[in-house]
PDB file of all heavy atoms in Angstrom:
ATOM      1  N   PHE A 295       5.508 -79.631  17.641  1.00 95.00           N
ATOM      2  CA  PHE A 295       5.703 -80.834  16.838  1.00 95.00           C
ATOM      3  C   PHE A 295       6.966 -81.629  17.264  1.00 95.00           C
ATOM      4  O   PHE A 295       6.949 -82.809  17.420  1.00 95.00           O
ATOM      5  CB  PHE A 295       5.822 -80.418  15.387  1.00 95.00           C
ATOM      6  CG  PHE A 295       6.141 -81.524  14.357  1.00 95.00           C
ATOM      7  CD1 PHE A 295       5.347 -82.666  14.402  1.00 95.00           C
ATOM      8  CD2 PHE A 295       7.128 -81.401  13.535  1.00 95.00           C
ATOM      9  CE1 PHE A 295       5.615 -83.662  13.504  1.00 95.00           C
ATOM     10  CE2 PHE A 295       7.363 -82.391  12.569  1.00 95.00           C
ATOM     11  CZ  PHE A 295       6.655 -83.606  12.582  1.00 95.00           C
ATOM     12  N   PHE A 296       7.978 -80.848  17.562  1.00 95.00           N
ATOM     13  CA  PHE A 296       9.219 -81.469  17.979  1.00 95.00           C
ATOM     14  C   PHE A 296       9.161 -81.808  19.437  1.00 95.00           C
ATOM     15  O   PHE A 296       9.558 -83.009  19.822  1.00 95.00           O
ATOM     16  CB  PHE A 296      10.398 -80.511  17.759  1.00 95.00           C
ATOM     17  CG  PHE A 296      11.733 -81.036  18.224  1.00 95.00           C
ATOM     18  CD1 PHE A 296      12.503 -81.799  17.430  1.00 95.00           C
ATOM     19  CD2 PHE A 296      12.297 -80.695  19.486  1.00 95.00           C
ATOM     20  CE1 PHE A 296      13.767 -82.319  17.810  1.00 95.00           C
ATOM     21  CE2 PHE A 296      13.484 -81.173  19.951  1.00 95.00           C
ATOM     22  CZ  PHE A 296      14.252 -81.966  19.116  1.00 95.00           C
ATOM     23  N   LEU A 297       8.780 -80.905  20.338  1.00 94.00           N
ATOM     24  CA  LEU A 297       8.797 -81.225  21.762  1.00 94.00           C
ATOM     25  C   LEU A 297       7.858 -82.377  22.224  1.00 94.00           C
ATOM     26  O   LEU A 297       8.241 -83.192  22.997  1.00 94.00           O
ATOM     27  CB  LEU A 297       8.357 -79.950  22.529  1.00 94.00           C
ATOM     28  CG  LEU A 297       9.357 -78.804  22.441  1.00 94.00           C
ATOM     29  CD1 LEU A 297       8.780 -77.513  23.150  1.00 94.00           C
ATOM     30  CD2 LEU A 297      10.669 -79.111  23.066  1.00 94.00           C
ATOM     31  N   GLN A 298       6.671 -82.400  21.575  1.00 95.00           N
ATOM     32  CA  GLN A 298       5.780 -83.490  21.964  1.00 95.00           C
ATOM     33  C   GLN A 298       6.169 -84.879  21.437  1.00 95.00           C
ATOM     34  O   GLN A 298       5.724 -85.866  21.884  1.00 95.00           O
ATOM     35  CB  GLN A 298       4.404 -83.096  21.412  1.00 95.00           C
ATOM     36  CG  GLN A 298       3.839 -81.930  22.064  1.00 95.00           C
ATOM     37  CD  GLN A 298       2.346 -81.680  21.697  1.00 95.00           C
ATOM     38  OE1 GLN A 298       1.536 -81.163  22.423  1.00 95.00           O
ATOM     39  NE2 GLN A 298       2.041 -81.966  20.377  1.00 95.00           N
ATOM     40  N   GLY A 299       7.055 -84.846  20.399  1.00 96.00           N
ATOM     41  CA  GLY A 299       7.512 -86.067  19.850  1.00 96.00           C
ATOM     42  C   GLY A 299       8.748 -86.667  20.513  1.00 96.00           C
ATOM     43  O   GLY A 299       9.285 -87.744  20.123  1.00 96.00           O
ATOM     44  N   LEU A 300       9.314 -86.001  21.577  1.00 94.00           N
ATOM     45  CA  LEU A 300      10.428 -86.535  22.245  1.00 94.00           C
ATOM     46  C   LEU A 300      10.113 -87.871  22.924  1.00 94.00           C
ATOM     47  O   LEU A 300       8.945 -88.124  23.281  1.00 94.00           O
ATOM     48  CB  LEU A 300      10.840 -85.530  23.413  1.00 94.00           C
ATOM     49  CG  LEU A 300      11.520 -84.219  22.849  1.00 94.00           C
ATOM     50  CD1 LEU A 300      11.684 -83.162  24.001  1.00 94.00           C
ATOM     51  CD2 LEU A 300      12.829 -84.463  22.126  1.00 94.00           C
ATOM     52  N   PRO A 301      11.181 -88.671  23.007  1.00 96.00           N
ATOM     53  CA  PRO A 301      12.565 -88.425  22.689  1.00 96.00           C
ATOM     54  C   PRO A 301      12.863 -88.746  21.241  1.00 96.00           C
ATOM     55  O   PRO A 301      13.980 -88.474  20.740  1.00 96.00           O
ATOM     56  CB  PRO A 301      13.284 -89.409  23.633  1.00 96.00           C
ATOM     57  CG  PRO A 301      12.362 -90.554  23.812  1.00 96.00           C
ATOM     58  CD  PRO A 301      10.998 -89.994  23.818  1.00 96.00           C
ATOM     59  N   TRP A 302      11.834 -89.323  20.505  1.00 96.00           N
ATOM     60  CA  TRP A 302      12.111 -89.822  19.137  1.00 96.00           C
ATOM     61  C   TRP A 302      12.273 -88.652  18.187  1.00 96.00           C
ATOM     62  O   TRP A 302      12.945 -88.904  17.127  1.00 96.00           O
ATOM     63  CB  TRP A 302      10.927 -90.701  18.702  1.00 96.00           C
ATOM     64  CG  TRP A 302      10.834 -91.824  19.626  1.00 96.00           C
ATOM     65  CD1 TRP A 302       9.870 -91.976  20.618  1.00 96.00           C
ATOM     66  CD2 TRP A 302      11.599 -92.979  19.632  1.00 96.00           C
ATOM     67  NE1 TRP A 302      10.074 -93.185  21.290  1.00 96.00           N
ATOM     68  CE2 TRP A 302      11.095 -93.855  20.672  1.00 96.00           C
ATOM     69  CE3 TRP A 302      12.652 -93.461  18.870  1.00 96.00           C
ATOM     70  CZ2 TRP A 302      11.630 -95.100  21.017  1.00 96.00           C
ATOM     71  CZ3 TRP A 302      13.210 -94.761  19.118  1.00 96.00           C
ATOM     72  CH2 TRP A 302      12.723 -95.500  20.189  1.00 96.00           C
ATOM     73  N   SER A 303      11.854 -87.476  18.459  1.00 95.00           N
ATOM     74  CA  SER A 303      12.072 -86.345  17.578  1.00 95.00           C
ATOM     75  C   SER A 303      13.425 -85.917  17.437  1.00 95.00           C
ATOM     76  O   SER A 303      13.790 -85.110  16.578  1.00 95.00           O
ATOM     77  CB  SER A 303      11.083 -85.146  17.931  1.00 95.00           C
ATOM     78  OG  SER A 303      11.284 -84.824  19.293  1.00 95.00           O
ATOM     79  N   LEU A 304      14.334 -86.357  18.288  1.00 95.00           N
ATOM     80  CA  LEU A 304      15.770 -86.087  18.162  1.00 95.00           C
ATOM     81  C   LEU A 304      16.250 -86.568  16.866  1.00 95.00           C
ATOM     82  O   LEU A 304      17.282 -86.052  16.269  1.00 95.00           O
ATOM     83  CB  LEU A 304      16.573 -86.763  19.298  1.00 95.00           C
ATOM     84  CG  LEU A 304      16.371 -86.217  20.745  1.00 95.00           C
ATOM     85  CD1 LEU A 304      16.985 -87.089  21.764  1.00 95.00           C
ATOM     86  CD2 LEU A 304      16.828 -84.762  20.807  1.00 95.00           C
ATOM     87  N   LEU A 305      15.582 -87.499  16.332  1.00 95.00           N
ATOM     88  CA  LEU A 305      15.987 -88.194  14.969  1.00 95.00           C
ATOM     89  C   LEU A 305      15.441 -87.443  13.759  1.00 95.00           C
ATOM     90  O   LEU A 305      15.860 -87.671  12.655  1.00 95.00           O
ATOM     91  CB  LEU A 305      15.632 -89.620  14.932  1.00 95.00           C
ATOM     92  CG  LEU A 305      16.035 -90.504  16.061  1.00 95.00           C
ATOM     93  CD1 LEU A 305      15.348 -91.849  15.962  1.00 95.00           C
ATOM     94  CD2 LEU A 305      17.585 -90.716  16.097  1.00 95.00           C
ATOM     95  N   LEU A 306      14.488 -86.539  14.004  1.00 94.00           N
ATOM     96  CA  LEU A 306      13.760 -85.938  12.863  1.00 94.00           C
ATOM     97  C   LEU A 306      14.575 -85.203  11.853  1.00 94.00           C
ATOM     98  O   LEU A 306      14.372 -85.467  10.620  1.00 94.00           O
ATOM     99  CB  LEU A 306      12.626 -85.083  13.500  1.00 94.00           C
ATOM    100  CG  LEU A 306      11.586 -84.548  12.525  1.00 94.00           C
ATOM    101  CD1 LEU A 306      10.859 -85.704  11.763  1.00 94.00           C
ATOM    102  CD2 LEU A 306      10.568 -83.626  13.237  1.00 94.00           C
TER     103      LEU A 306
END
Side-chain angles (χ1 to χ4, degrees):
F295 176 51
F296 179 83
L297 293 174
Q298 294 183 147
L300 287 171
W302 301 100
S303 54
L304 291 171
L305 306 170
L306 189 58

